[in-house]
Structures are given as C-alpha cells and as structure tokens.
C-alpha cells in the first residue's frame, strides 16, 4: 500500500484553479472560495495562450515582421507582440529595427520624448564596435529597454539608414543569438532592400502585416507569392498574416472577403481590431490597449512561438 511519504499526492484532493472574473469569479469571491466552479472557457483559453507563449525553447529563434506598404501596423505589431512576449516568457525577448527608412521601433516602444533624452545608440553604433561586444553587459550598452523588451534602434540618419547590408545584419543576428532565445526583426517595406536577403536567410518564421483594404490584401498575397517563388517556400507557407484595422474602415469594406482572400496561403491569419492605442502612431503600451487588441497580440505571440521547431 502507498504511504504518505512515498505518495503524498494520494492523500490530498486536487484543487481546481481559481476562476478570475465573470460569474464564476463572482461566486468564488462571494463564498470565500467555498464554491469553486473552476475557470470558464475564456479563462482557459487565455491560460492556454500563456502556456504556448512561455514554452521553453532550445536555441535562438528569429521572426521577421514585414510588409509591402508602410503605415499598416508593421511596427506597432512588432512592439505589441514584443511586449507580450516579454510579459509571458521567462527570458527577455529582443526586437531589432532593420528598417532602412529611419524606422521608429524604439520610439513606439519607449515614447519619442524618452528616446530623445536617451543616448543615441543605434544599430550602426553596434556594428561599428561589434568586435568588442563579448558579453550581455557589453551588448546592453547599445540597447534600449521597454520593461523586459530589449531593443536595438534603427539608424535615423537618412544618408546611412539604407546602408545596412545582408552581411551586417547576419553579424547582428549571430551576436543576438548568443544571448536571446527570441528575436523580432522589424523590416522595411518591401522585400528587396539591402539587408533583406540576410533577414530572410536567418528567419525562422514571418509575420506579414496587412490592412483591411483590397490593395493591402493584394500586397500581402504578392509578398507571399514572391517569397514562394524566390526560394522561401517554407517561410511563405508558415507565415502569419496580421490584418490590423488601423483606420477603422467603413462598412463598405468586406472584411470577411479580404480574410478569405489571404487565409489559404499562410499558416494562420489573425485580425487586430481598431484601437486608438495603435492607430495614433505614438507610444504603444499594453495597459492602454483594448482587451480584444491585447488578445490579438497574445494570439500572434503564441503562433510565433508555435512555429519555432
């Protein structure tokens, strides 16, 4: 017969998880826990998303976030998903601004005022001194921090912002892989600028940003078709298409038709609802976002980590 020492679990009843919010949470609180109906379906789904996002990884992985058009939520998605990864994962994620057109990834994560007050450390500075970076402490001198999300700023000088080459990006990626298990790379618009071949070569999966417009859906489809015909079939097949309702399109736009147009050519399609916290093009913080927007970023983060095999 099992005894208490060898099998203590046999003598203790399994306790249901505590419900949070809703009628189940209210009953639990009113009865001081005497009636515990357990979590409802929505809470269980949220907890499952958290488990998927926080999955332990062996090695370092990189997700490229790209689009063929600016202003449709590419950078806000990178920040929102990066902050979500930082919230749920035990290891801090890293986000790299590889936009050749003076990207604003760090401004969206920190706020322009805070970024302007900080020392102007960019990806160019890191490349210039990369041989001397031999520890996370040394690397942190070239990074910015939005909570647990660590960021490498893009070059702001327009004369040199487009000079990042594929080889230089791969050097950055190799360095980051020594210290971070998850990295996001915020790319420029298009797939043919100088660094893009290095980004695609080192990417484990892709997020394709699109908008609720016929032109946006066509561009996203064109991006996936270009990737598939240029040696990146696996990336295209396993891509996550994110449709952001950034401009709160009119009722004349058939959102279901646009989603259907894209759904069959990617691994997953996720919609981000209209949210002033994203649409204004300013600081992105999870606290001010609508619950549906935060849920969408969780779904994207979970889909990204699911793709790391």
């Amino acid at each position: 017969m099992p005894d208490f020492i060898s099998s203590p679990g046999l003598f203790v009843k399994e306790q249901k998880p505590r419900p949070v919010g809703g009628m189940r949470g209210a009953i639990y609180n009113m009865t001081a826990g005497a009636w515990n109906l357990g979590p409802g379906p929505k809470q269980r789904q949220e907890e499952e998303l958290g488990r998927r996002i926080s999955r332990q990884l062996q090695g370092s992985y990189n997700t490229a976030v790209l689009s063929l058009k600016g202003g449709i939520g590419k950078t806000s998605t990178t920040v929102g998903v990066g902050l979500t990864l930082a919230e749920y994962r035990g290891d801090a994620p890293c986000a790299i601004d590889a936009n050749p057109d003076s990207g604003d990834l760090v401004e969206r994560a920190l706020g322009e005022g805070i970024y302007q007050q900080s020392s102007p450390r960019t990806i160019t500075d890191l490349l210039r001194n990369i041989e001397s970076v031999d520890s996370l402490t040394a690397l942190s001198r070239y990074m910015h921090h939005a909570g647990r999300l660590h960021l490498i700023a893009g070059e702001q000088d327009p004369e040199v912002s487009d000079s990042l080459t594929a080889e230089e990006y791969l050097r950055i990626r190799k360095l980051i892989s020594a210290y971070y298990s998850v990295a996001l790379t915020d790319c420029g618009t298009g797939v043919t600028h100088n660094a893009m071949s290095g980004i695609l070569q080192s990417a484990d999966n892709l997020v394709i940003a699109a908008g609720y417009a016929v032109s946006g859906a066509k561009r996203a489809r064109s991006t996936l078709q270009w990737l598939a015909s240029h040696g990146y079939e696996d990336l295209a097949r396993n891509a996550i298409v994110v449709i952001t309702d950034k401009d709160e399109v009119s009722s004349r736009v058939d959102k279901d038709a646009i989603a259907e147009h894209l759904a069959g050519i990617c691994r997953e399609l996720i919609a981000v609802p209209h949210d002033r916290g994203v649409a204004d093009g300013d600081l992105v913080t999870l606290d001010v976002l609508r619950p549906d927007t935060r849920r969408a970023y969780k779904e994207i983060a979970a889909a990204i980590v699911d793709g790391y095999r």
Side-chain angles (χ1 to χ4, degrees), residues 12 19 31 46 59 68 85 154 157 188 193 217 224 231 255 260 305:
V12 179
T31 62
E46 291 287 327
L68 283 186
L85 288 165
D157 186 344
H193 60 78
L224 292 168
K255 295 182 179 180
E260 185 178 348
V305 177

Side-chain angles (χ1 to χ4, degrees), residues 101-164:
D101 300 314
S102 301
D104 62 350
L105 175 69
V106 177
E107 290 97 316
R108 300 296 302 277
L110 298 180
E112 189 170 355
I114 294 177
Y115 176 66
Q116 294 299 332
Q117 294 171 12
S118 63
S119 57
R121 298 155 293 170
T122 69
I123 195 169
T124 305
D125 299 313
L126 177 56
L127 279 167
R128 188 179 298 119
N129 301 289
I130 197 168
E131 297 298 337
S132 64
V133 178
D134 56 3
S135 67
L136 184 57
T137 300
L139 177 58
S140 67
R141 299 189 186 107
Y142 300 93
M143 306 191 82
H144 303 264
H145 301 84
R148 295 182 65 251
L149 175 61
H150 300 179
L151 305 112
I152 298 177
E155 181 55 58
Q156 298 301 299
D157 186 344
E159 293 187 4
V160 297
S161 62
D162 194 24
S163 64
L164 181 68

Side-chain angles (χ1 to χ4, degrees), residues 8-256:
L10 297 177
F11 297 86
V12 179
K13 291 183 179 180
E14 183 178 356
Q15 187 175 8
K16 293 180 182 178
R18 177 181 176 178
V20 178
M23 182 60 70
R24 292 168 181 254
I27 292 174
Y28 182 92
N29 292 332
M30 289 171 58
T31 62
W35 287 9
N36 184 354
L37 303 179
K42 185 175 181 180
Q43 183 179 339
R44 291 197 298 270
Q45 291 170 2
E46 291 287 327
E47 291 173 350
E48 176 60 21
L49 284 175
R51 283 191 288 269
R52 289 165 60 194
I53 297 169
S54 61
R55 178 170 65 91
Q56 187 173 3
L57 299 171
Q58 301 296 325
S60 179
Y61 298 88
N62 179 35
T63 296
V65 186
L66 56 95
S67 69
L68 283 186
K69 180 181 182 296
I72 57 175
K74 175 176 58 62
T75 298
S76 61
T77 297
T78 305
V79 175
V81 172
L83 292 172
T84 301
L85 288 165
E87 181 180 16
Y88 283 90
R89 291 195 59 78
D91 50 346
C94 173
I96 306 167
D97 192 342
N99 190 337
D101 300 314
S102 301
D104 62 350
L105 175 69
V106 177
E107 290 97 316
R108 300 296 302 277
L110 298 180
E112 189 170 355
I114 294 177
Y115 176 66
Q116 294 299 332
Q117 294 171 12
S118 63
S119 57
R121 298 155 293 170
T122 69
I123 195 169
T124 305
D125 299 313
L126 177 56
L127 279 167
R128 188 179 298 119
N129 301 289
I130 197 168
E131 297 298 337
S132 64
V133 178
D134 56 3
S135 67
L136 184 57
T137 300
L139 177 58
S140 67
R141 299 189 186 107
Y142 300 93
M143 306 191 82
H144 303 264
H145 301 84
R148 295 182 65 251
L149 175 61
H150 300 179
L151 305 112
I152 298 177
E155 181 55 58
Q156 298 301 299
D157 186 344
E159 293 187 4
V160 297
S161 62
D162 194 24
S163 64
L164 181 68
T165 67
E167 292 74 18
E168 289 172 333
Y169 173 82
L170 288 172
R171 294 181 72 191
I172 295 287
R173 174 70 193 117
K174 182 179 179 180
L175 176 64
I176 293 301
S177 67
Y179 303 106
Y180 294 90
S181 63
V182 177
L184 305 176
T185 298
D186 185 15
C187 308
T189 55
V191 288
T192 58
H193 60 78
N194 293 340
M196 205 63 208
S197 62
I199 293 172
L200 293 174
Q201 177 183 330
S202 64
D204 295 285
N205 55 21
L206 300 178
V207 170
I208 310 293
Y212 274 121
V214 174
S215 59
K218 287 182 176 178
R219 287 189 179 98
R221 190 178 184 91
S222 297
T223 302
L224 292 168
Q225 291 172 338
W226 185 94
L227 291 166
S229 62
H230 285 77
Y232 303 106
E233 296 92 343
D234 287 343
L235 285 178
R237 187 183 309 112
N238 294 307
I240 304 158
V241 173
V242 174
I243 305 180
T244 301
D245 191 359
K246 189 172 181 182
D247 299 318
E248 200 168 17
V249 295
S250 71
S251 58
R252 294 180 59 245
V253 175
D254 191 337
K255 295 182 179 180
D256 292 337

